[in-house]
Amino acid sequence: MLKYTLKRLVNAVVVLFIITTATWFLMQLLPGSPIQNAEKLTAEQEAQVGEQYNLDKPLPVQYALYMTGLVRGDLGNSYLYGGTPVTSIILDRLPVSMFLGTQAIVVGLVVGLFLGIVGALKQNSIWDSGAAFLAVLGVSVPDFVLAPLAQYWLGLKLGIFPIAFFESWWHSVLPSLVLSTVVAAVIATFTRTEMLEVLGQDYVTLAKAKGLSKLAVVLKHVLRNSMIPLVTIMLPLTAALVTGVLIVETVFSIPGLGEQFVRSIFEKDFPIIMGTTILFSVFFVASYLLQDILYGLIDPRIRVAGNRE
Amino acid sequence: MAIRRVRPGKVLVGTQLSRRDFLKISGTGLAGAALLGTAGCGSVFEGGGGGGGTMKTDTLNINLTAEVPDLNSVTTTDSVSFNVLTNLMEGFYRLDQNQKPIPAAAEGVEISSDELTYTFTLRDGIQWSNGDPVTSQDFKYAWLRVLNPETAATYAYIISTFVKGADEYNTDKAGPEAVAIETPDDKTLSVELISKSPFFLQLTSFATYFPQQQEFVEKMGDEYARDGDSLLYNGPYTMTAGSTGGGSTVVLQKNEKYWDKANVAVKTINGRIVKDNDTAINLYEGGELALTGLTGDSVKQFKDDPDFFRTVEPFTVYGRLNQKVPGLDNLNIRKALMIGFDREALTDQILQDGSVPAYGFVPPAISPGHGDQTFREANGDLVPKDVDSARALWEKGVEEVGEEPKLTMLFGDDSTGRDVATYMKDQYKTNLGADLDVEIVTFDAALDRVDAEDYEINYSFGWIGDYDDPMTFMDLYLSDSPFNNSFFENAEYDRLIEEAQTTSDLQLRMQNMLKAERILIEQAGTVPVFYNAVSGLIKPYFKGYTPHPFGGDDYKYAKIEGKS
């Protein structure tokens, strides 16, 4: 098991290195200058300013400089924000995005499970159709449509929620709800399918035959066994949330990472683009690593396969 | 002001993203945000900023449109920072509500008879927010810091173009002692200019000319101007919350040490950061913002609203015809292209953002001109409006060239780029019978190609004036100007402008520039397209809103009246 974990860990570092390098070089292909106000500078002035940011050095040298900084944990300073360190900008905003995302996942999980269970137990009833309708709506209405609509109607017109900003927990409710729709919809559909399959299994019939109450059968046997594959879809779901976070943070004026990331690309603030990409990659790679290790723990077959090599 | 990339139909008031721009980016589905794990609750919320939802009667909530990039007056360049800094600091002069420079940190100025030396005397008793006196050395220190090549200030040219010896220091050809700034005592600063610059007093109100206290700046080091505590203030407001790059509200509180505090009416300004224009409109309608800009389609939607306002900026969007390209070296071809499209239909039906058709190069917002007239009024509309006359010119040109030139128009793909491209192609087809090709690349790629003179025809960019004088536009077409990337060369134009730059006769100076603009259009050296406008909504209770076209929004003159 230790060997397996170590091997996965080395893999993760290699993946991170490749992502970092690829992003760094791709970024250099962006047209335009990262220098502010470059449109109004003569070529000579622009070159002089570039010197201060090492932009005059050959690309391999710039790359080497960046990577040595990175190894020391230095993500550099923002071009756009008057040399503010990238780490302080990211650390400022990370908790906000994490809070919003976590809340959305929790809400989505609860709502999705509920809809899924109702759909499976009351198959083909009006409840089932209702849950299915909500699920289809949740998957097919994108956040960039839902967020402005929710803001306009629930925020401005009905005045139930704040229109925007992030000043109290109450402010976070509407954005979280918007974000959670995709999660809820996917989990609902998934839970329903899995549960229907498990409900048809022999051991469920056996449990029923033993005279267990309906609730006990659902909780102990059906739900538990339907949940295992759910672990697999949580990760892609989290990834799907990311695009949502970019939009929801902008629409609701929430000072998170997603919104900042978009701006840094427009402004070609290379250090911020790099810092955020590295952070996102670490998050993804770490999740996959965790997932692989968890699988190894849950399912001995995977672990054995890993050990054989 | 300058971060506002010079693009047609682009964001007004700051660097707000249009929803379409936004979708382009988010659609690429870039890597993910950290969403799992536990976040410290409570601490993630802003806690009401300085005002929360509804506004008190001594508080104004305005939309900053983006995080504040840089509050260091020496290096800052963008409109958001300018909108904040204008209220925190003050130069020798400040612009009044009619955009005229009035004494501010200086009580007055003495101008030498050759109008080359300006001697400013500081007002008695003016203080920084920590109680230290503001001295003439604070100005000299800041100006030299701008020019120091190591500072890499991108606005250095706004000093180095005018102050004697400044360019030499800025380009590392001489030391700081070469710069002609003298401070004989704490109250006096005299500066010698390269040539007569009747707009120099106005320049001293520009952020790059603000003072900084050496002791404080050095104490703060890299942390200088990152947040409210790492700045010293000499203007009407101090900053009590917010930081550069930070996403939370920027709170400005009336500066009790300000010399003219009796005339500052609004106690608190909350600069909210709302990037999405539709969100800003919702917040405005919900009463949470007193002022917001409008972009793209929303201009059309609100143009009859009683709260609607529009200001035409000192900003001309113009076409470039690369005269190194066969065909475009022909005067009649160029003239046909200049005349042969309907500008009114372009602004009213394609752009629909309040922009004004341009028939001259210098925009109407530049106020100096001939006598009471602005420059634009004095020269009138120079581009002929008879679109049909263009066909004869085109045919004549084609005959002179020998064959119909195969020309390609390069466009930047911003929110209106494609629509404008289709429109121009169609106009030339209809009005000239000419079949031009269209090439659309990203906005920045187009900018790079125009800079590198690797294009034939381009209509994507303009120029925002830096100071209130026609020269900020007219020197662009000198044959050796780095911004003249269409190879326009005219000896008479050069002579007129160079004479205007050095003469002490202000009448002659203006006459030369008027004459030069007529030559520029007669030679179809440039193709004026439209003058950019800013539109927005402002609550009726917000009086005295004073945006400076060559600076930032000034809340010193703001008042709240009739708000319950």
Side-chain angles (χ1 to χ4, degrees):
Chain A
M1 187 64 201
L2 185 70
K3 200 175 152 199
Y4 172 72
T5 310
L6 276 178
K7 200 178 151 220
R8 303 291 317 179
L9 210 61
V10 172
N11 269 348
V13 172
V14 172
V15 168
L16 278 178
F17 174 77
I18 295 172
I19 293 175
T20 312
T21 307
T23 313
W24 195 90
F25 281 99
L26 282 173
M27 209 169 57
Q28 309 301 323
L29 298 178
L30 277 176
S33 164
I35 296 169
Q36 300 306 312
N37 207 21
E39 296 82 357
K40 290 209 159 188
L41 298 183
T42 62
E44 202 179 317
Q45 286 165 328
E46 205 177 321
Q48 194 191 335
V49 175
E51 247 175 67
Q52 303 298 324
Y53 295 105
N54 288 325
L55 293 176
D56 58 323
K57 300 209 166 57
L59 280 188
V61 177
Q62 286 187 47
Y63 172 72
L65 280 174
Y66 185 81
M67 290 310 270
T68 39
L70 193 61
V71 171
R72 288 198 312 266
D74 178 10
L75 289 173
N77 299 331
S78 160
Y79 292 166
L80 178 63
Y81 297 119
T84 311
V86 172
T87 27
S88 87
I89 290 180
I90 288 181
L91 288 180
D92 232 27
R93 293 163 173 275
L94 183 62
V96 174
S97 294
M98 274 184 12
F99 180 87
L100 202 62
T102 313
Q103 186 160 284
I105 291 223
V106 171
V107 173
L109 202 62
V110 172
V111 175
L113 278 177
F114 177 77
L115 288 179
I117 294 170
V118 168
L121 293 184
K122 309 260 179 200
Q123 205 187 343
N124 298 329
S125 70
I126 180 135
W127 293 100
D128 187 20
S129 321
F133 176 74
L134 283 179
V136 170
L137 208 66
V139 174
S140 46
V141 178
D143 286 344
F144 60 80
V145 174
L146 194 59
L149 277 179
Q151 177 182 65
Y152 184 75
W153 288 106
L154 301 176
L156 178 64
K157 287 293 159 187
L158 298 176
I160 303 172
F161 294 101
I163 298 169
F165 303 132
F166 210 61
E167 291 166 354
S168 65
W169 177 76
W170 187 233
H171 282 81
S172 77
V173 174
L174 195 55
S176 298
L177 283 180
V178 169
L179 266 181
S180 68
T181 49
V182 176
V183 182
V186 172
I187 289 183
T189 330
F190 198 81
T191 309
R192 182 180 177 274
T193 322
E194 282 298 317
M195 272 191 56
L196 285 178
E197 200 187 313
V198 175
L199 276 171
Q201 299 284 332
D202 291 345
Y203 59 82
V204 175
T205 321
L206 176 71
K208 278 184 191 161
K210 282 195 302 189
L212 287 179
S213 75
K214 200 172 179 191
L215 189 70
V217 173
V218 169
L219 286 182
K220 282 198 172 159
H221 295 281
V222 183
L223 204 52
R224 237 166 101 179
N225 284 302
S226 332
M227 283 309 94
I228 299 170
L230 208 63
V231 176
T232 331
I233 62 159
M234 280 316 285
L235 201 75
L237 260 186
T238 317
L241 263 193
V242 166
T243 347
V245 167
L246 295 182
I247 292 160
V248 167
E249 286 183 353
T250 304
V251 170
F252 288 99
S253 293
I254 295 168
L257 272 180
E259 181 219 41
Q260 175 54 47
F261 191 40
V262 174
R263 173 122 197 251
S264 70
I265 295 171
F266 273 106
E267 301 289 349
K268 280 180 268 314
D269 195 343
F270 291 163
I272 300 257
I273 300 179
M274 285 305 295
T276 322
T277 310
I278 290 171
L279 179 83
F280 287 172
S281 322
V282 167
F283 165 71
F284 271 102
V285 171
S287 321
Y288 276 110
L289 186 66
L290 193 72
Q291 196 186 23
D292 284 346
I293 295 172
L294 276 180
Y295 275 165
L297 287 176
I298 296 168
D299 192 337
R301 285 168 298 184
I302 298 172
R303 186 172 59 213
V304 171
N307 272 347
R308 253 184 219 143
E309 287 172 37
Chain B
M1 58 184 275
I3 201 176
R4 229 163 11 185
R5 291 270 167 68
V6 277
R7 59 167 93 171
K10 213 233 149 182
V11 289
L12 316 166
V13 191
T15 50
Q16 215 157 10
L17 301 182
S18 76
R19 191 156 277 159
R20 218 194 298 181
D21 281 340
F22 183 72
L23 293 179
K24 254 189 272 171
I25 287 290
S26 54
T28 56
L30 288 148
L35 297 169
L36 294 173
T38 44
C41 296
S43 64
V44 294
F45 301 111
E46 216 192 304
T54 47
M55 282 180 270
K56 291 183 239 134
T57 47
D58 56 357
T59 302
L60 274 179
N61 288 353
I62 50 125
N63 183 7
L64 279 184
T65 71
E67 294 87 0
V68 180
D70 186 6
L71 287 177
N72 184 347
S73 57
V74 157
T75 48
T76 194
T77 56
D78 67 285
S79 60
V80 177
S81 303
F82 270 65
N83 284 346
V84 175
L85 214 49
T86 302
N87 301 289
L88 301 179
M89 306 288 170
E90 196 162 80
F92 285 129
Y93 274 64
R94 188 177 195 91
L95 299 181
D96 69 6
Q97 287 185 265
N98 302 315
Q99 315 299 342
K100 295 277 169 282
I102 47 168
E107 61 178 22
V109 67
E110 202 178 295
I111 303 171
S112 64
S113 55
D114 60 2
E115 291 178 51
L116 288 178
T117 306
Y118 285 63
T119 306
F120 296 94
T121 309
L122 285 175
R123 198 175 284 280
D124 279 330
I126 50 168
Q127 293 178 342
W128 290 104
S129 48
N130 67 354
D132 289 351
V134 178
T135 68
S136 52
Q137 281 86 1
D138 296 339
F139 283 87
K140 183 177 180 181
Y141 170 71
W143 295 9
L144 289 181
R145 229 182 131 207
V146 171
L147 297 170
N148 188 336
E150 278 175 28
T151 310
T154 48
Y155 248 131
Y157 70 86
I158 202 107
I159 296 183
S160 67
T161 314
F162 306 107
V163 173
K164 202 174 158 193
D167 192 52
E168 286 76 1
Y169 177 37
N170 187 229
T171 52
D172 227 352
K173 293 184 192 97
E177 63 286 343
V179 187
I181 304 171
E182 303 294 335
T183 50
D185 59 57
D186 279 358
K187 294 234 146 274
T188 316
L189 181 143
S190 72
V191 52
E192 197 182 329
L193 306 185
I194 296 166
S195 60
K196 261 184 135 178
S197 313
F199 43 83
F200 187 70
L201 285 183
Q202 186 220 324
L203 279 181
T204 66
S205 71
F206 197 79
T208 317
Y209 282 83
F210 288 167
Q212 289 186 356
Q213 193 194 53
Q214 181 168 8
E215 190 193 337
F216 185 82
V217 171
E218 285 172 0
K219 195 175 84 194
M220 287 294 152
D222 284 346
E223 296 299 309
Y224 178 73
R226 289 276 157 78
D227 57 20
D229 294 332
S230 55
L231 266 174
L232 277 189
Y233 311 90
N234 75 327
Y237 289 90
T238 64
M239 189 168 109
T240 54
S243 62
T244 51
S248 37
T249 307
V250 172
V251 180
L252 307 183
Q253 293 284 0
K254 187 172 166 177
N255 180 2
E256 292 304 327
K257 295 261 166 60
Y258 182 55
W259 65 272
D260 200 19
K261 66 176 176 186
N263 289 315
V264 180
V266 178
K267 210 175 129 217
T268 311
I269 310 276
N270 288 320
R272 312 303 312 249
I273 298 167
V274 185
K275 294 183 185 175
D276 188 287
N277 196 239
D278 294 333
T279 303
I281 293 168
N282 287 341
L283 287 165
Y284 179 85
E285 298 207 310
E288 292 188 47
L289 289 174
L291 170 73
T292 187
L294 293 172
T295 61
D297 290 346
S298 52
V299 177
K300 187 172 47 167
Q301 188 191 339
F302 285 95
K303 68 173 192 291
D304 298 321
D305 194 286
D307 295 358
F308 181 83
F309 70 91
R310 184 182 79 163
T311 344
V312 181
E313 294 186 300
F315 180 175
T316 307
V317 171
Y318 56 94
R320 293 159 176 79
L321 308 174
N322 187 342
Q323 300 193 18
K324 279 271 159 73
V325 173
L328 292 177
D329 49 359
N330 180 285
L331 178 61
N332 285 315
I333 297 266
R334 288 204 307 276
K335 275 175 126 169
L337 292 169
M338 180 180 75
I339 300 169
F341 65 99
D342 183 346
R343 288 165 170 80
E344 251 104 54
L346 177 69
T347 54
D348 298 350
Q349 286 158 36
I350 308 290
L351 300 171
Q352 300 195 64
D353 62 356
S355 295
V356 177
Y359 296 95
F361 183 54
V362 175
I366 297 284
S367 47
H370 185 67
D372 291 344
Q373 293 177 308
T374 65
F375 191 88
R376 191 70 277 129
E377 285 162 352
N379 245 356
D381 289 343
L382 297 177
V383 177
K385 292 186 184 177
D386 181 11
V387 171
D388 296 332
S389 68
R391 187 182 280 265
L393 289 166
W394 178 261
E395 280 160 4
K396 196 167 160 218
V398 170
E399 206 177 286
E400 284 163 5
V401 175
E403 54 170 348
E404 184 171 325
K406 197 84 200 98
L407 297 170
T408 303
M409 296 185 281
L410 176 72
F411 285 90
D413 183 15
D414 58 17
S415 54
T416 56
R418 278 171 199 276
D419 298 342
V420 175
T422 315
Y423 177 77
M424 295 302 285
K425 186 176 165 69
D426 179 65
Q427 283 284 302
Y428 286 146
K429 182 91 199 154
T430 316
N431 300 332
L432 309 179
D435 199 6
L436 273 69
D437 285 331
V438 165
E439 186 186 359
I440 299 177
V441 296
T442 64
F443 184 82
D444 287 314
L447 197 57
D448 281 354
R449 288 203 22 208
V450 170
D451 268 350
E453 285 140 5
D454 172 24
Y455 73 100
E456 296 180 350
I457 300 172
N458 170 269
Y459 287 110
S460 298
F461 315 110
W463 185 263
I464 308 174
D466 286 317
Y467 48 92
D468 192 9
D469 191 273
M471 191 56 87
T472 187
F473 283 90
M474 294 309 293
D475 63 3
L476 297 177
Y477 275 104
L478 284 170
S479 51
D480 60 355
S481 161
F483 304 104
N484 174 359
N485 30 36
S486 46
F487 298 100
F488 169 78
E489 273 188 55
N490 186 290
E492 178 64 1
Y493 185 94
D494 287 354
R495 191 194 65 76
L496 288 167
I497 296 302
E498 274 153 19
E499 190 178 49
Q501 284 173 332
T502 46
T503 180
S504 56
D505 180 347
L506 291 183
Q507 284 278 0
L508 178 71
R509 179 175 184 276
M510 204 51 79
Q511 286 309 326
N512 275 9
M513 286 196 283
L514 288 165
K515 229 182 276 174
E517 195 200 33
R518 293 196 290 269
I519 293 173
L520 182 63
I521 301 294
E522 272 159 27
Q523 293 296 316
T526 190
V527 182
V529 181
F530 62 89
Y531 309 119
N532 201 62
V534 183
S535 305
L537 296 171
I538 185 164
K539 294 281 183 194
Y541 62 76
F542 179 4
K543 309 276 190 232
Y545 170 53
T546 311
H548 298 308
F550 307 95
D553 287 359
D554 197 336
Y555 295 104
K556 179 181 174 178
Y557 311 108
K559 288 187 173 57
I560 301 174
E561 279 170 26
K563 179 173 192 297
S564 49

